[in-house]
C-alpha cells in the first residue's frame, strides 16, 4: 500500500457533499487546481508553499514512513532554497538535520528532521509517490 494516496474530486462533488468522517480522518491536506485539457502540456512546477505546508503538517507524525517522506521533502526544499540546513545533531535514535526557513529571520522556527538512512530504492519510491501526489509529471 502506498504511504500517501492522492484522491481527486470535482469542485462540485467536494463543495456539495458532506465529508465522509473516514476520509477526513485520513486526510493530510487538500488544495484546488485545474487539470489541463489532454492536448495542453502539463506544467512541471510545484508550488513551494504546498511543499512547505506538507512538510509542516508531517512534523508531529510518528509513522516511520511518513517521517522518511518528510526528510525527502526537506531535501527538496533545501535544494529549492526554501529551507537551509543549520546543523546536524546526533541523538540515541540517530542523526537529526536541523533546518530553518529561508527569509524567516532570527525568530524563524527550527525543524528537527530525523535522517531515516534511506536505501536508494526507498528514496526512489518516496520521490515517485511525491511526484504522483503533486502531479509533477512532464
Amino acid at each position: 500500500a502506498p504511504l500517501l494516496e492522492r484522491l481527486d474530486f470535482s469542485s462540485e462533488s467536494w463543495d456539495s457533499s458532506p465529508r465522509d468522517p473516514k476520509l477526513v480522518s485520513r486526510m493530510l491536506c487538500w488544495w484546488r487546481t485545474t487539470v489541463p485539457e489532454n492536448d495542453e502540456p502539463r506544467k512541471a512546477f510545484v508550488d513551494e508553499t504546498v511543499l512547505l505546508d506538507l512538510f509542516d503538517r508531517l512534523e508531529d507524525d510518528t509513522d516511520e514512513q511518513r517521517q522518511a517522506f518528510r526528510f525527502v521533502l526537506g531535501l527538496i526544499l533545501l535544494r529549492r532554497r526554501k529551507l537551509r540546513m543549520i546543523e546536524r545533531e546526533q541523538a540515541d535514535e540517530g542523526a537529526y538535520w536541523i533546518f530553518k526557513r529561508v527569509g524567516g529571520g532570527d525568530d524563524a522556527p527550527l525543524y528537527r528532521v530525523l535522517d531515516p538512512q534511506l536505501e536508494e530504492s526507498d528514496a526512489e519510491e518516496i520521490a515517485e509517490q511525491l511526484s504522483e501526489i503533486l502531479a509533477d509529471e512532464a
Side-chain angles (χ1 to χ4, degrees):
L3 171 63
L4 298 172
E5 180 181 11
R6 175 184 167 155
L7 301 174
D8 294 317
F9 298 89
S10 68
S11 294
E12 296 78 25
S13 295
W14 183 258
D15 292 336
S16 65
S17 67
R19 308 280 193 286
D20 179 350
K22 290 180 184 175
L23 177 64
V24 171
S25 69
R26 293 177 44 222
M27 194 179 314
L28 181 63
C29 62
W30 63 273
W31 59 91
R32 292 178 186 258
T33 188
T34 303
V35 177
E37 296 295 325
N38 289 339
D39 57 343
E40 290 182 34
R42 280 192 125 160
K43 295 179 182 176
F45 174 79
V46 176
D47 186 353
E48 276 90 3
T49 58
V50 172
L51 296 178
L52 282 165
D53 182 56
L54 190 52
F55 182 79
D56 284 341
R57 287 174 182 263
L58 288 169
E59 183 169 17
D60 296 324
D61 199 309
T62 57
D63 180 84
E64 286 181 20
Q65 287 184 316
R66 287 190 177 196
Q67 283 301 304
F69 185 80
R70 183 172 186 253
F71 179 76
V72 172
L73 272 177
L75 296 178
I76 291 168
L77 291 165
L78 181 68
R79 183 172 182 174
R80 291 188 176 191
R81 296 188 173 116
K82 296 300 172 186
L83 294 178
R84 64 184 164 104
M85 189 170 138
I86 303 299
E87 64 180 306
R88 285 183 51 139
E89 172 183 294
Q90 193 63 40
D92 291 339
E93 60 273 18
Y96 282 89
W97 292 39
I98 312 300
F99 294 113
K100 190 173 192 177
R101 193 171 290 189
V102 170
D106 293 338
D107 296 334
L110 298 178
Y111 300 101
R112 289 180 84 230
V113 182
L114 182 63
D115 183 344
Q117 300 294 312
L118 294 174
E119 299 289 327
E120 187 174 339
S121 61
D122 295 329
E124 287 173 3
E125 182 179 334
I126 289 171
E128 185 177 313
Q129 289 175 4
L130 180 61
S131 178
E132 288 175 15
I133 289 166
L134 298 175
D136 186 17
E137 301 161 352

